[in-house]
Amino acid sequence: MVSFDHREPGTPAATWTPFLDAVTPRPVDLADVAAVVVVAPHPDDETLGAGGLIATAADAGVPVHVVLVTLGEGSHPDSPTTTADELAAVRAGEFRDALVALHPDVTAGSLGVPDVGLREQPETLRDALVARLDATAEASGGRTLLVAPWQGDGHRDHRVAGEVAEAVASGRPEVDLVSYPIWAWHWDRPDAPAAPWDTAHALALSDDVLDRKRAALAAYRSQVLPLSPAPGDEAIVDERHAAHHLRDVEWFFGTAVRTPASSRSRESFDAHYARKPEGWDFDGSWYERRKRAVTLAALPRERYRSALEIGCATGVLTAALTERADDVLGTDIAAAPLDRARTRAPLARFLQAALPDDWPEGTWDLVVLSEVGYYLSDADLDRTVDRVLGSLADDGVLVACHWRHPDDEAVSSGDAVDARLAERWPRPALVRHVEEDFVLSVLPGPGVVAVARAEGLVR
């Protein structure tokens, strides 16, 4: 994720003007749109990024609904005069006033997710969007335009909101998705832009609509004006930031036409182990040791008959699994780490295999997928789930644990993998542990019951 400071001078709005004049965007066409749904991670995002679109659509009689994810109570963390709870109440009122300024017919709902907390509960937004889009489709039967933050905008809540919106929209042919930048105007540079301008969409704003957008932004007094003269109470969206958003054109990004990502290659793993024979610091890192302990503690049975570890690397977790299972098979796409794994875990069996294609024969009551899923393409991850379901005993479990921070070698993310596993798995997770660094899910077979029930402690 991009690191930036909104207090820095950043890129002036005027610097973007020659660049934007040279862009040939696709128009935002509302002609056959039956409804517009806007995702706002914080109060004012909807106005800054899509206020003109909201007003224009509502003027045309198109129903517009804004999904407010958080109340933005974390906008002034160092304020000596205003608490987070006070800010939440203030910003909720400003949000209502801003929507009225854009158009009185706009509706909204608030999800109450903590500010900068969407990564910990993306399902809250996902469920709300699914319900809203289902209701919209049933009511109108036409196309819905879903408007969300650009995933690369640089703010964690913006990224997750964009990812969730994209995931929800991807399976709905009646939904079109466009994304708006907020902070990218500040940190990005027109001479070397990171944003996907080849997918640009634009909406020209009438003078009346632009005036209403100005009025809506002015309603956010807690953001456009200092809370007080004290340090820590400075304006967040001062005039230099507002200038990016008060143009007579609103800019959006569409969905890029991309070739589906391939799974990470065997050659890249071979190169990694050539540089770092131990792969990752499995033994020395407290993060790795703690994560391994959490993974083992999450297993609902004390003992297993047969365990399969997908992507075992140098066998550190494999060795621990041999203390919990009668038979353990570790697989890895690369040959080099398996030599170390055989020494580290002499009681286990090992197989070089590119899964899911080289799936081993057998039935497993424990399958472990740790820090591997985000190296698989969407198609290969789906096929892996199918392979697990086809070879898992009724009393077996799939344990999936994944890093949640960026990985330059990954083709997706830990959160995306966890969401896809939950979507594809036929039963609810028995365990789901989420923290800032990793997400762990235990997905059960049909014969798995809770530990206390299995031990007869409850009936």
Side-chain angles (χ1 to χ4, degrees):
M1 187 172 68
V2 174
S3 177
F4 67 92
D5 188 335
H6 74 279
R7 296 166 296 186
E8 294 294 326
T11 303
T15 305
W16 282 103
T17 299
F19 175 86
L20 296 175
D21 288 344
V23 174
T24 304
R26 297 175 59 184
V28 176
D29 185 5
L30 296 172
D32 59 346
V33 171
V36 174
V37 176
V38 179
V39 179
H42 315 96
D44 78 5
D45 287 334
E46 81 296 328
T47 295
L48 292 166
L53 173 57
I54 291 170
T56 301
D59 284 349
V62 178
V64 180
H65 183 82
V66 180
V67 179
L68 180 62
V69 181
T70 84
L71 292 179
E73 66 274 13
S75 67
H76 290 77
D78 300 320
S79 172
T81 65
T82 310
T83 68
D85 287 344
E86 290 169 341
L87 264 176
V90 168
R91 297 195 71 182
E94 293 172 342
F95 174 71
R96 292 190 294 269
D97 292 342
L99 292 192
V100 170
L102 292 174
H103 199 287
D105 291 343
V106 176
T107 62
S110 180
L111 304 184
V113 174
D115 198 354
V116 199
L118 183 56
R119 188 172 68 178
E120 284 64 47
Q121 52 185 94
E123 67 282 352
T124 301
L125 176 58
R126 181 168 56 246
D127 293 347
L129 286 182
V130 168
R132 171 57 53 176
L133 293 174
D134 284 347
T136 299
E138 184 176 348
S140 69
R143 285 177 53 233
T144 296
L145 181 62
L146 179 59
V147 187
W150 175 47
Q151 295 178 29
D153 197 50
H155 190 290
R156 179 191 300 175
D157 285 341
H158 294 198
R159 174 181 63 80
V160 178
E163 290 173 349
V164 171
E166 182 179 46
V168 171
S170 64
R172 293 174 174 262
E174 80 283 3
V175 175
D176 295 323
L177 174 67
V178 294
S179 303
Y180 56 82
I182 297 290
W183 291 111
W185 294 111
H186 172 70
W187 59 258
D188 204 1
R189 295 166 41 199
D191 59 338
W197 286 100
D198 57 324
T199 72
H201 289 56
L203 177 69
L205 308 184
S206 69
D207 290 343
D208 175 62
V209 165
L210 186 55
D211 285 344
R212 280 186 277 159
K213 182 172 180 175
R214 286 194 184 96
L217 183 56
Y220 286 107
R221 295 178 59 85
S222 70
Q223 305 301 298
V224 301
L225 298 174
L227 297 177
S228 82
D233 275 353
E234 297 85 359
I236 303 300
V237 185
D238 56 23
E239 290 185 1
R240 65 200 166 99
H241 290 305
H244 293 296
H245 304 281
L246 294 177
R247 299 178 184 274
D248 59 4
V249 173
E250 272 184 350
W251 292 90
F252 303 89
F253 303 124
T255 302
V257 178
R258 297 175 296 192
T259 302
S262 300
S263 295
R264 185 177 174 183
S265 68
R266 173 175 287 163
E267 290 76 14
S268 74
F269 280 105
D270 289 342
H272 176 84
Y273 284 108
R275 295 190 306 270
K276 299 177 64 177
E278 284 296 332
W280 290 265
D281 189 14
F282 297 116
D283 289 313
S285 165
W286 169 237
Y287 163 78
E288 291 289 350
R289 288 183 282 123
R290 175 180 174 274
K291 180 193 65 179
R292 193 158 57 247
V294 172
T295 300
L296 294 167
L299 300 181
R301 285 195 354 236
E302 186 175 8
R303 193 79 191 169
Y304 289 86
R305 298 181 300 274
S306 56
L308 170 65
E309 184 185 3
I310 301 171
C312 65
T314 56
V316 179
L317 177 58
T318 323
L321 291 175
T322 61
E323 299 177 6
R324 300 285 295 274
D326 299 332
D327 178 56
V328 178
L329 174 63
T331 72
D332 201 275
I333 192 173
L338 294 180
D339 292 335
R340 283 176 162 72
R342 291 185 179 96
T343 300
R344 180 172 275 124
L347 299 180
R349 298 180 293 122
F350 293 96
L351 174 69
Q352 184 181 4
L355 304 183
D357 291 327
D358 304 330
W359 197 262
E361 294 184 1
T363 299
W364 320 95
D365 58 346
L366 174 61
V367 177
V368 178
L369 183 73
S370 182
E371 310 285 22
V372 175
Y374 43 63
Y375 294 134
L376 299 175
S377 68
D378 291 346
D380 282 348
L381 179 61
D382 282 351
R383 290 197 299 129
T384 298
V385 174
D386 291 339
R387 293 281 202 172
V388 173
L389 287 169
S391 59
L392 191 70
D394 284 353
D395 62 347
V397 295
L398 167 64
V399 179
C401 183
H402 289 90
W403 173 253
R404 301 185 69 206
H405 299 289
D407 181 339
D408 291 340
E409 299 290 351
V411 299
S412 67
S413 67
D415 285 338
V417 170
D418 188 71
R420 186 58 177 167
L421 292 174
E423 182 180 344
R424 291 291 314 281
W425 201 260
R427 286 163 290 277
L430 188 68
V431 176
R432 187 166 188 268
H433 171 85
V434 184
E435 57 181 80
E436 184 172 349
D437 295 329
F438 67 90
V439 55
L440 182 147
S441 290
V442 177
L443 302 168
V448 176
V449 298
V451 175
R453 192 171 302 279
E455 292 202 345
L457 302 178
V458 295
R459 297 186 183 277

